[in-house]
Amino acid sequence: PGYGARVAVTAVAIAFLTPTSFFLSSTYTESLALLLCLGALLALRERGYWLAALLAGLATASRSVAVALAPIIVLRFWIGERPGISRALVVGAGLGLIAVVGLLAFMVFMAVRFGDAAAFAAAQAAWAGHGGFLERAARALSLAPLFTPSLGLPFLVATTTLLVAGARHMDWTLTTFGALVLAIPYLTFAGGDTGLSSMPRFVLMAFPAALAAAILLKGRPKITTALLVVSTIGLYVATAMFAQWHWVA
């Protein structure tokens, strides 16, 4: 809403013709999380704070990166409603709790089943390697992963550039969400042994970048068509590589 039908159609085309978008139709959780996060942000746009929190909570049950919605929902409530201090604290806490209920429920399951509520974090450390979370985060903050050749680097740079370039054209909730869903995997994974290798898939959650691209391409049909053609070729190549057991993301 607010951007026009042409921009909307272009944004959808860009999002679903991204070279790694085949993951959205594979046995990965990005597609469900993406749907729920989009629904939460649309509900938030209409001041449906509790609905947004519920959808966000469900999203965190599919992908933990959806916790990025929790602070956005609470801040949107505070800014939009300007409640008194007591109401701000009580309602804000309720919204924040519901917005992460899926992740909390999963942690309870981990505690009951494995005796460790953070078992998923340990599994993540085993995959990412290179020390614990703080060590990986410190290395990520040093920007070292950006100087290591990786297929994920151009995806991260392109998505970040689009979010920055389109920030003044989009609602702050969209830009903030896009930034956070990039920052979370960057801080938790990029500083490890795997580096940015999974970033081509992680950027799919940063769908506001597709909207930013569509806004910036408005009135430029030839450039838009050329980019979509190139992206479609990239999608074909990436899908073929993945189907033949080559690492894509």
Side-chain angles (χ1 to χ4, degrees):
Y3 299 105
R6 185 175 294 277
V7 169
V9 171
T10 303
V12 171
I14 292 172
F16 290 103
L17 290 177
T18 297
T20 53
S21 62
F22 65 87
F23 281 110
L24 297 176
S25 58
S26 303
T27 52
Y28 287 79
T29 58
E30 273 83 2
S31 55
L32 177 58
L34 198 60
L35 175 64
L36 292 168
C37 288
L38 179 58
L41 288 167
L42 287 174
L44 204 57
R45 184 185 180 92
E46 301 300 321
R47 300 177 123 181
Y49 306 110
W50 294 106
L51 176 59
L54 177 60
L55 292 172
L58 292 173
T60 62
S62 59
R63 285 201 68 77
S64 58
V65 73
V67 297
L69 284 170
I72 294 174
I73 292 170
V74 174
L75 283 174
R76 185 69 166 189
F77 168 71
W78 286 346
I79 295 171
E81 303 303 316
R82 298 183 181 277
I85 294 178
S86 59
R87 183 167 178 252
L89 292 175
V90 173
V91 177
L95 290 171
L97 181 61
I98 293 175
V100 297
V101 70
L103 179 58
L104 293 178
F106 183 62
M107 293 177 71
V108 170
F109 168 76
M110 291 284 104
V112 173
R113 180 67 178 81
F114 302 106
D116 182 7
F120 64 94
Q124 183 185 65
W127 168 255
H130 208 83
F133 165 72
L134 292 179
E135 185 178 348
R136 294 197 305 274
R139 188 167 184 273
L141 290 173
S142 73
L143 304 183
L146 301 183
F147 297 94
T148 303
S150 170
L151 179 62
L153 183 59
F155 282 85
L156 176 61
V157 171
T159 305
T160 303
T161 301
L162 286 172
L163 287 172
V164 172
R168 66 190 182 92
H169 302 289
M170 300 188 296
D171 186 83
W172 69 268
T173 56
L174 295 174
T175 305
T176 304
F177 176 77
L180 288 177
V181 296
L182 288 181
I184 292 173
Y186 177 76
L187 291 173
T188 56
F189 272 104
D193 297 334
T194 55
L196 297 172
S197 61
S198 291
M199 196 57 72
R201 176 166 61 91
F202 292 153
V203 299
L204 292 173
M205 289 296 295
F207 64 84
L211 175 59
I215 293 172
L216 296 172
L217 288 169
K218 186 177 182 179
R220 300 177 174 87
K222 292 183 179 180
I223 297 177
T224 301
T225 301
L227 288 176
L228 289 177
V229 169
V230 171
S231 189
T232 301
I233 294 173
L235 173 59
Y236 176 82
V237 173
T239 304
M241 289 177 62
F242 184 77
Q244 297 179 49
W245 296 94
H246 291 287
W247 179 264
V248 177

